[in-house]
Amino acid sequence: MRMPRRGLVIQARTRWLLVGLALLFSLALLMYLLECAPQTDGNGSLPGVVGESMGKEYYQALLQEQEEHYQNRATSLKRQIAQLKQELQEMSDKLKSLQEKKTPKVNGMNYQGTKEQASNDLLEFLHSQIDKAEVSVGAKLPSEYGVVPFESFTSMKVFQLEMGLTRHPEEKPVRKDKRDELMEVIEAGLEVINNPDEDDGQDEDDGVGERQLYSENDFVEGYYRTERDKGTQYELFYKKMDGMEYRHVTLFRPFGPLMKVKSETVDISRSIINVIVPLAGRTEAFAQFMQNFRDVCIHQDKRVHLTVVYFGQDGLSEVKGILESVARETTFHNYTIVSLNEEFNRGRGLDVGARAWEKGEVLMFFCDVDVYFTAEFLNSCRLNAEPGKKVFYPVVFSLYNPAIVYANQEIPPPVEQQLVHKKDSGFWRDFGFGMTCQYRTDFLTVGGFDLEVKGWGVEDVHLYRKYLHSDLIVIRTPVPGLFHLWHEKHCADELTPEQYRMCIQSKAMNEASHSHLGMLVFREEIETHLRKQAYRTNSEAVG
């Protein structure tokens, strides 16, 4: 802060005044000593005891007088300095008052009354960050690479997409900084649920009893993503062990404190999922798929309808036999089989399966015969798709070739034991968009699949782009309960050299991890090394 000009002048004058007074006092003292000094001629007292005594008393009295003079002068100077400080403070106050008068008023309030307005402006800015982020309304994106994917987490694990060569697809235990952040979010969600606001629309007791309190043990799963110019969004789900209702809390950290976006109860007890599977041949894989379907959908979930769209006639009777056998053993009859006598086309099969449903609105899960899913995934499917608002595009964990992953074992373990998230067992298939949960009305509204597009998997990307260009929110996140089982990939001779090269690259990516592929590439070098080591050991033993 700049000192006022008048204050600087007063300080300068004070310094020169003190210097002048000191010089004047020194000159006066010198003259006084010269005039009052005792005479040294013959008429004076003779040296001796009496003379020395009188001279000592004289000088003591003189020193005492001068000391009193200095004290009085110091007191006077202190008083003047205090007066100058007071004057300086008064000038400073006047200057501050003048600045406040020149400050423009904000909404009729002066400078001192703008603190509350500044707080309101901050809250308005933070809420504007929520409005800009893709929290309540989907953003229209130019391509499939524009979406910001979520990462999913539980209280113990984080399932992350960007692994590189050092990170793991499943992080356990979570790093301390990330664990602290997520625990703060989980606790904030509990605070929202257990202490609801009036605008949450949550009944206090439903007329039955006291409102249930939730704890950290009731946290099921969550998703989070960060938009770098806006903040971090958190989707949290809680559920009591013996209940079917979920509590869904959305929080947003706009590069500042957490802010509640909404808190709602999600009832999925009557939410039916229509699992649609396009198929041609591959009856053994379908039998394995139905074993998983029986365990998860029929015995555990019990709210699933299965639609199989079969292409061609070869293997059709076997597929029907598998379905009928399951129906007899489990009394499950909520399935439909649609037969198409044409060449296999996944987009065409899913489109036919979606339109074959005649019971109004339904949540659809587009699935493949090589996909293994859990009951928890079905609930995630229900929680993250909302008609007219959200579609769910989970990232599947693709398993490598078990013959390579478990090469040190005589035979690979059962499929259920292969379902682990490790770098050497598989990878997040973040370039695939075939597995999705969406409502039938949303699928029909965006126009379904573009059946004119040719090429394996291209129709999935085109449908995904349609949602990105719409107002719906696309939830893109890896989920722990969705796996793509490895199967032999055949690269046809009819492919062009470029297509064949891309097919081989895709096959290599799905075959094994970076380290396992390296072991295969350097197999001969490794075997040569082992032989040399064995020969050296034998030679030393003989010698």
Side-chain angles (χ1 to χ4, degrees), residues 368-430:
D368 283 343
V369 71
D370 299 303
V371 168
Y372 185 102
F373 55 87
T374 65
E376 290 75 18
F377 166 74
L378 294 178
N379 285 334
S380 297
C381 182
R382 294 182 176 100
L383 292 169
N384 291 286
E386 186 176 344
K389 193 160 187 179
K390 294 188 296 186
V391 292
F392 188 39
Y393 271 85
V395 181
V396 63
F397 192 77
S398 188
L399 297 177
Y400 292 132
N401 186 348
I404 298 178
V405 176
Y406 305 99
N408 58 342
Q409 302 181 21
E410 293 184 4
I411 58 173
V415 172
E416 292 76 13
Q417 297 181 19
Q418 299 179 27
L419 306 178
V420 292
H421 302 92
K422 296 186 179 298
K423 291 173 63 177
D424 287 334
S425 63
F427 66 99
W428 292 113
R429 201 182 188 89
D430 58 340

Side-chain angles (χ1 to χ4, degrees), residues 284-428:
E284 292 184 3
F286 183 70
Q288 184 181 39
F289 172 85
M290 287 305 300
Q291 182 61 45
N292 176 43
F293 186 89
R294 180 205 301 253
D295 296 339
V296 173
C297 300
I298 300 177
H299 293 159
Q300 298 183 50
D301 192 85
K302 302 177 182 180
R303 292 163 291 160
V304 175
H305 184 94
L306 175 64
T307 300
V308 178
V309 181
Y310 196 87
F311 290 82
Q313 297 299 317
D314 294 340
L316 177 59
S317 59
E318 296 180 52
V319 169
K320 289 183 177 180
I322 293 172
L323 289 172
E324 292 170 357
S325 175
V326 172
R328 286 193 306 270
E329 296 172 2
T330 62
T331 66
F332 174 80
H333 299 285
N334 295 327
Y335 69 89
T336 303
I337 183 165
V338 181
S339 177
L340 299 177
N341 193 18
E342 54 188 81
E343 185 180 354
F344 179 81
N345 183 300
R346 186 177 186 274
R348 163 79 170 151
L350 293 172
D351 191 85
V352 169
R355 299 177 190 275
W357 181 268
E358 299 178 348
K359 300 178 183 179
E361 182 67 290
V362 69
L363 176 60
M364 305 181 299
F365 171 38
F366 293 164
C367 189
D368 283 343
V369 71
D370 299 303
V371 168
Y372 185 102
F373 55 87
T374 65
E376 290 75 18
F377 166 74
L378 294 178
N379 285 334
S380 297
C381 182
R382 294 182 176 100
L383 292 169
N384 291 286
E386 186 176 344
K389 193 160 187 179
K390 294 188 296 186
V391 292
F392 188 39
Y393 271 85
V395 181
V396 63
F397 192 77
S398 188
L399 297 177
Y400 292 132
N401 186 348
I404 298 178
V405 176
Y406 305 99
N408 58 342
Q409 302 181 21
E410 293 184 4
I411 58 173
V415 172
E416 292 76 13
Q417 297 181 19
Q418 299 179 27
L419 306 178
V420 292
H421 302 92
K422 296 186 179 298
K423 291 173 63 177
D424 287 334
S425 63
F427 66 99
W428 292 113

